Amino acid sequence: MYLRRFSVILFILLIAGFAFGQSKSRPSDKFKQLSDDELPTPNEQRAASGAPGNKYWQNRADYVIDVEIDDVNQRLIGKETITYKNFSPDTLTYLWVQIDQNIHAKDSDANTTQTAPNLEGGQLPGAPRGVSVEQLDRLVNRDYDGKVNITSVRDAAGKPLRNTLNKTMLRIDLPTPLAPGGTFVFSIDWDYAINNNRVYGGRAGYEFFPRDGNYLYEMAQWFPRMAAYYDVYGWQNKQFLGSGEFTLEFGDYTVRITAPNDHVVTATGVLQNSKDVLKPEWISRLKQAETAKEPIKIITQAEAIANETNKPTGKKTWAFKGDNVRDFAFATSRKFIWDAQGHNVGGNKVMAMSLYPMEGNPLWEKYSTHAIIHTLNVYSRYSFVYPYPVAISVNGPVGGMEYPMICFNGPRPQPDGTYSANTKYGLISVIIHEVGHNYFPMIVNSDERQWTWMDEGLNTYLQFLAEQEWEKDYPSRRGEPQNIADYMASENQVPIMTNSESVLQFGANAYGKPATALNILRETVMGRELFDHAFKTYSERWKFKRPTPADFFRTMEDASAVDLDWFFRGWFYTTDHVDLSIENVRLYQPSTRNPETEKGLLRKQDNERPKTLSQQRNESLPKRIDQYPSLRDYYNDFDEFAVTEKDRADYQAFLATLSEKEKQLLNSNYYFYTVDVKNLGGLVMPLIFMVEYTDGTSEQIRIPAEIWRYNNFDVSKLIVTKKEAKAIVLDPNLETGDTDLSNNFFPRRTIPTRFQVFKGGGAVRR
Ligand SMILES: [Zn+2]
């Protein structure tokens, strides 16, 4: 750092007039309030505060369903009656119903719009191009067609209803228009071939176990579901392509599931006919589990393995009731081990349960139910108390997928029971994540077909908090700001505010980035107290309702009095990243005006000025004026740093104008560091400096992002200290996701890297 002395000017007002001298081409204003371009105008359904408006409404659908699983042919056969209530102010002439299973039709848009895999290369070791054997099989031998047969659509009187299928959407024309406040009851019968999830993927399906010849079914999107009709988009009937998930209405479900009589069935809701379907010992073990301190086995591994060799002697029907849910899923198999533990979450008694085949052990019996209860505890603290009577985690072919009260999670140990750290933490994390989805979007019912981040981002944020409360330094994949830095700097990305089906780098965009943004809001921008209150307010305001992004953005500000428009614009509406650089640090100290001190300093600086190469080489050359001393005059001997009588007199005259306090101030020896910071990434962020002093101590200085409000590109911050600084570090706690840490140090630091040395070789062959 180079020391400069500055003069203390008594006429400070002079500065003010020039400080904001702007050119006409002003850089874009990152602190401009979000306006019509970004957010819809508030209205009676959605208030400017971000709360539901005084005329908020949503429609409702209640279901009574009878469904059978044909375990011989892997088919699902169902009939349902939907009671649809129109609470909108609009008269409806048709209804839209989602037939999401049609994504597995051979000619579905999801299949036909697949872009080509990279078939080039892939022949050298390490080159990952080409296709897997499974992909190849799918490409050449696809014989599976999962298209739904809709065999009947009729009204309450049994009269057929005119209907039109458009791929994954079914329009039902109403015999008479459905007025506001009206109810329409209708029924649909259908059946379809269930997808082998291991071959055709998807969010549901069956798994076949060659070892014992059994099937395990995880069933979801299995029944025709009402599309949502709401104030922002009308009917949300955008086709299901696979990424944009579901937009659904709340309702009560009565579902009777018929399966082979040696199957164990688990589902959204509470079992209504335990005595008909459970063995007496299972019922008493369940009773015991209600107050147990650890998970209790309802079906042990030995019992499940014995059951694997069974042959069914008939069918059994399991009746479930799930109230106030937006969807219904179930799982069935004769392979299930079942454990359970009752738990009181904020006054609500919940039965946490896990069902898994023996292939899931020893991991599942050790972690699954604990992970469920842990999730309910943490999430309920940061949002609202879990309102449902059961929370279930099932192991099967689906890697991780959420439904009300029940979720499907894939990780399993190796066949010999050993497992890697990745598998263990992958399992705990996915269970936390999928159970966590009960809050977002199963209860805070965002429109998933439009916005993936509204449930995945918020859920991944809370997942991070829950993981960090599971064990110290839990290896969370997402949440810590530095984990998102590489993505933020990457090419080929789109803003978070992009429709679900068009999102690039899906996991980083819709899960990692919003989760990290919320974590940064909480830790760095707002502080935990303000953030937690605002987040809870949003969760409470919108539980069992359907929020949009504007409702979230507005509530976060409304409940905290923190202007966050700049943050939401930067993080959610752009692909800018954080890269702030300390370009320079300049040290200034006020001149004491004392000529003894000041001229001494000037002399020292003059002495320290380096000699040029010519000066150094010319030093020893004989000089003419040494040969002829008479050539010397006054200027040859003049000492420009000598203190004169006039200097002393001027100084005394200056001192006479100062009070004692002012004199002390002048000699107080403060250090004035001007830190010049450049914004290279585009995102404006708070400045967090750590100043390291020469005495070995250090200090952190936190400056809100508003320091950028006049200029988004360059700011200078003055740091006044009593001690001399030896270094200044930007973002010392790695809390902003800065993509290039090498420019965060002044002076710059060398970051050591080890490189490999190997023997032999020569030219590298490619
Ligand atoms: Zn998710």
Side-chain angles (χ1 to χ4, degrees):
M1 276 166 245
Y2 186 73
L3 172 67
R4 292 151 224 235
R5 307 289 274 190
F6 64 89
S7 301
V8 177
I9 303 166
L10 296 176
F11 301 98
I12 295 163
L13 283 177
L14 264 181
I15 304 168
F18 299 101
F20 308 123
Q22 305 148 357
S23 68
K24 278 188 175 168
S25 60
R26 210 171 133 78
S28 74
D29 178 4
K30 305 231 181 217
F31 290 84
K32 177 173 171 272
Q33 297 296 282
L34 291 173
S35 60
D36 293 354
D37 295 348
E38 292 100 357
L39 296 183
T41 308
N43 56 35
E44 289 175 310
Q45 280 77 46
R46 293 170 195 277
S49 64
N54 63 348
K55 289 195 178 155
Y56 177 82
W57 56 267
Q58 63 192 18
N59 291 349
R60 177 181 176 90
D62 297 313
Y63 295 79
V64 176
I65 313 178
D66 287 284
V67 59
E68 180 174 345
I69 294 293
D70 172 355
D71 188 37
V72 177
N73 302 301
Q74 290 76 54
R75 290 191 72 81
L76 179 144
I77 306 107
K79 48 178 77 175
E80 68 178 356
T81 298
I82 301 177
T83 302
Y84 185 68
K85 297 197 176 77
N86 179 17
F87 291 111
S88 84
D90 310 322
T91 297
L92 304 174
T93 55
Y94 47 78
L95 308 180
W96 281 102
V97 175
Q98 309 182 59
I99 315 291
D100 299 289
Q101 172 66 18
N102 270 348
I103 196 174
H104 291 294
K106 265 187 176 173
D107 60 351
S108 71
D109 286 357
N111 284 326
T112 56
T113 63
Q114 292 279 333
T115 52
N118 187 349
L119 299 173
E120 284 182 30
Q123 289 171 24
L124 291 175
R129 290 173 292 182
V131 295
S132 66
V133 181
E134 292 79 7
Q135 279 175 299
L136 185 64
D137 188 34
R138 267 202 305 274
L139 289 172
V140 296
N141 297 321
R142 182 176 176 125
D143 52 2
Y144 167 67
D145 192 345
K147 190 173 175 27
V148 178
N149 279 320
I150 294 170
T151 51
S152 160
V153 180
R154 59 201 185 281
D155 68 10
K159 237 181 109 200
L161 289 167
R162 217 172 60 180
N163 61 85
T164 304
L165 183 73
N166 175 10
K167 299 165 185 176
T168 62
M169 289 287 165
L170 177 71
R171 193 188 72 231
I172 295 172
D173 297 332
L174 297 174
T176 53
L178 182 61
T183 297
F184 184 70
V185 180
F186 65 105
S187 299
I188 302 178
D189 297 356
W190 77 99
D191 61 87
Y192 66 86
I194 300 168
N195 54 304
N196 180 343
N197 188 278
R198 292 276 182 225
V199 179
Y200 296 106
R203 297 169 192 276
Y206 71 79
E207 175 178 9
F208 176 67
F209 293 79
R211 183 182 61 80
D212 50 80
N214 286 302
Y215 291 84
L216 188 159
Y217 300 85
E218 291 181 319
M219 300 312 304
Q221 297 94 49
W222 56 276
F223 60 101
R225 301 180 293 179
M226 285 307 304
Y229 180 79
Y230 75 110
D231 56 296
V232 177
Y233 293 113
W235 286 106
Q236 176 50 284
N237 54 8
K238 188 177 183 334
Q239 293 287 331
F240 182 39
L241 294 175
S243 289
E245 293 176 275
F246 312 109
T247 309
L248 301 156
E249 302 289 13
F250 286 103
D252 294 343
Y253 285 68
T254 298
V255 180
R256 292 178 287 265
I257 302 163
T258 299
N261 63 356
D262 57 348
H263 266 216
V264 174
V265 181
T266 183
T268 299
V270 176
L271 183 63
Q272 302 295 300
N273 59 340
S274 305
K275 292 207 172 65
D276 302 338
V277 293
L278 301 183
K279 293 181 181 172
E281 62 265 34
W282 298 352
I283 294 177
S284 66
R285 289 170 190 169
L286 271 170
K287 185 83 206 147
Q288 205 191 327
E290 280 176 15
T291 52
K293 295 275 169 284
E294 294 273 341
I296 297 275
K297 290 276 167 22
I298 311 305
I299 300 177
T300 66
Q301 179 154 329
E303 289 167 332
I305 291 173
N307 208 28
E308 284 180 348
T309 54
N310 267 355
K311 287 281 168 282
T313 55
K315 298 173 187 175
K316 251 187 205 169
T317 299
W318 299 57
F320 291 90
K321 205 163 159 15
D323 286 341
N324 209 13
V325 286
R326 53 165 246 170
D327 200 358
F328 191 101
F330 67 94
T332 177
S333 181
R334 65 174 58 82
K335 288 177 62 68
F336 281 139
I337 301 164
W338 178 2
D339 74 52
Q341 183 187 343
H343 183 65
N344 185 325
V345 190
N348 181 32
K349 279 191 177 166
V350 182
M351 188 63 96
M353 302 192 279
S354 301
L355 292 94
Y356 39 94
M358 57 88 74
E359 284 79 359
N361 269 341
L363 271 180
W364 272 73
E365 63 183 8
K366 193 173 171 74
Y367 292 119
S368 177
T369 298
H370 272 285
I372 297 171
I373 292 174
H374 179 67
T375 306
L376 300 182
N377 286 342
V378 175
Y379 277 60
S380 294
R381 197 143 34 78
Y382 289 110
S383 56
F384 45 78
V385 172
Y386 183 74
Y388 293 134
V390 299
I392 304 164
S393 162
V394 180
N395 177 241
V398 178
M401 190 59 206
E402 68 275 16
Y403 300 98
M405 306 187 214
I406 188 170
C407 55
F408 305 151
N409 301 297
R412 282 177 192 158
Q414 296 294 315
D416 68 358
T418 61
Y419 52 83
S420 65
N422 267 348
T423 305
K424 169 190 164 178
Y425 290 109
L427 175 66
I428 297 167
S429 287
V430 75
I431 294 175
I432 292 172
H433 182 93
E434 307 307 345
V435 172
H437 269 307
N438 274 294
Y439 297 79
F440 311 93
M442 297 302 151
I443 295 170
V444 177
N445 183 22
S446 57
D447 181 344
E448 293 180 88
R449 188 138 307 170
Q450 203 68 34
W451 309 113
T452 298
W453 70 268
M454 284 199 76
D455 67 306
E456 298 300 353
L458 272 58
N459 183 36
T460 302
Y461 156 70
L462 284 184
Q463 177 193 342
F464 174 65
L465 300 193
E467 287 170 350
Q468 294 306 311
E469 288 191 36
W470 178 273
E471 70 184 44
K472 186 172 179 288
D473 296 330
Y474 185 99
S476 294
R477 264 176 80 202
R478 294 173 170 138
E480 280 288 358
Q482 74 267 25
N483 292 356
I484 200 72
D486 286 347
Y487 164 74
M488 296 290 281
S490 70
E491 298 294 319
N492 198 33
Q493 51 164 312
V494 290
I496 292 175
M497 285 293 288
T498 299
N499 175 268
S500 302
E501 292 294 351
S502 303
V503 166
L504 301 174
Q505 303 198 58
F506 202 78
N509 174 296
Y511 296 61
K513 185 178 172 184
T516 308
L518 297 189
N519 198 34
I520 291 174
L521 271 186
R522 180 173 191 246
E523 301 286 24
T524 301
V525 177
M526 300 169 76
R528 289 188 174 192
E529 195 184 345
L530 287 174
F531 179 91
D532 289 350
H533 169 74
F535 190 86
K536 217 174 168 52
T537 302
Y538 168 76
S539 309
E540 288 282 358
R541 278 178 173 179
W542 289 97
K543 66 180 180 190
F544 298 112
K545 294 191 171 72
R546 181 179 290 114
T548 63
D551 303 316
F552 177 71
F553 297 148
R554 286 175 171 144
T555 295
M556 293 305 288
E557 289 193 345
D558 188 68
S560 68
V562 183
D563 177 4
L564 299 172
D565 288 39
W566 62 271
F567 186 89
F568 291 134
R569 173 180 286 110
W571 281 80
F572 288 75
Y573 290 85
T574 78
T575 55
D576 289 349
H577 61 276
V578 181
D579 182 11
L580 303 181
S581 165
I582 301 184
E583 295 289 292
N584 197 8
V585 176
R586 288 164 287 156
L587 170 60
Y588 296 89
Q589 284 191 298
S591 164
T592 58
R593 301 278 291 264
N594 182 342
E596 314 287 349
T597 312
E598 299 304 321
K599 284 200 158 168
L601 260 173
L602 290 175
R603 184 193 301 282
K604 187 161 169 278
Q605 281 180 1
D606 189 60
N607 289 342
E608 286 169 357
R609 187 167 296 140
K611 294 252 183 296
T612 70
L613 186 59
S614 293
Q615 283 173 333
Q616 292 172 41
R617 289 177 176 169
N618 293 340
E619 189 104 29
S620 57
L621 296 181
K623 306 293 180 323
R624 186 168 186 87
I625 66 165
D626 294 330
Q627 266 181 295
Y628 298 95
S630 63
L631 293 178
R632 301 184 76 92
D633 75 352
Y634 170 81
Y635 291 105
N636 289 101
D637 298 317
F638 175 67
D639 178 2
E640 61 176 311
F641 304 118
V643 178
T644 66
E645 279 314 311
K646 181 167 187 314
D647 290 338
R648 292 194 181 98
D650 287 350
Y651 178 54
Q652 290 308 320
F654 172 66
L655 285 184
T657 66
L658 299 182
S659 69
E660 271 316 301
K661 200 175 157 208
E662 286 168 336
K663 279 181 205 165
Q664 274 174 22
L665 195 58
L666 204 60
N667 289 300
S668 56
N669 269 326
Y670 276 97
Y671 295 83
F672 292 71
Y673 293 100
T674 302
V675 187
D676 300 333
V677 181
K678 206 172 192 64
N679 177 2
L680 302 174
L683 286 185
V684 291
M685 287 297 274
L687 299 181
I688 301 107
F689 291 122
M690 181 162 71
V691 185
E692 296 174 357
Y693 296 109
T694 49
D695 68 0
T697 61
S698 66
E699 177 190 9
Q700 287 203 15
I701 298 168
R702 305 182 70 89
I703 299 147
E706 278 76 3
I707 191 170
W708 297 97
R709 69 194 181 281
Y710 299 119
N711 181 335
N712 318 314
F713 301 105
D714 298 282
V715 293
S716 293
K717 181 65 193 171
L718 181 65
I719 297 177
V720 182
T721 72
K722 263 207 116 87
K723 299 190 280 191
E724 189 183 359
K726 65 167 187 249
I728 297 182
V729 182
L730 187 59
D731 191 16
N733 318 305
L734 304 178
E735 57 186 286
T736 67
D738 197 312
T739 59
D740 181 1
L741 297 177
S742 70
N743 58 23
N744 287 18
F745 298 98
F746 195 93
R748 292 282 190 262
R749 284 180 194 174
T750 306
I751 297 166
T753 308
R754 309 284 278 184
F755 63 89
Q756 295 298 321
V757 179
F758 51 87
K759 198 174 147 126
V764 177
R765 297 185 59 178
R766 320 193 101 241

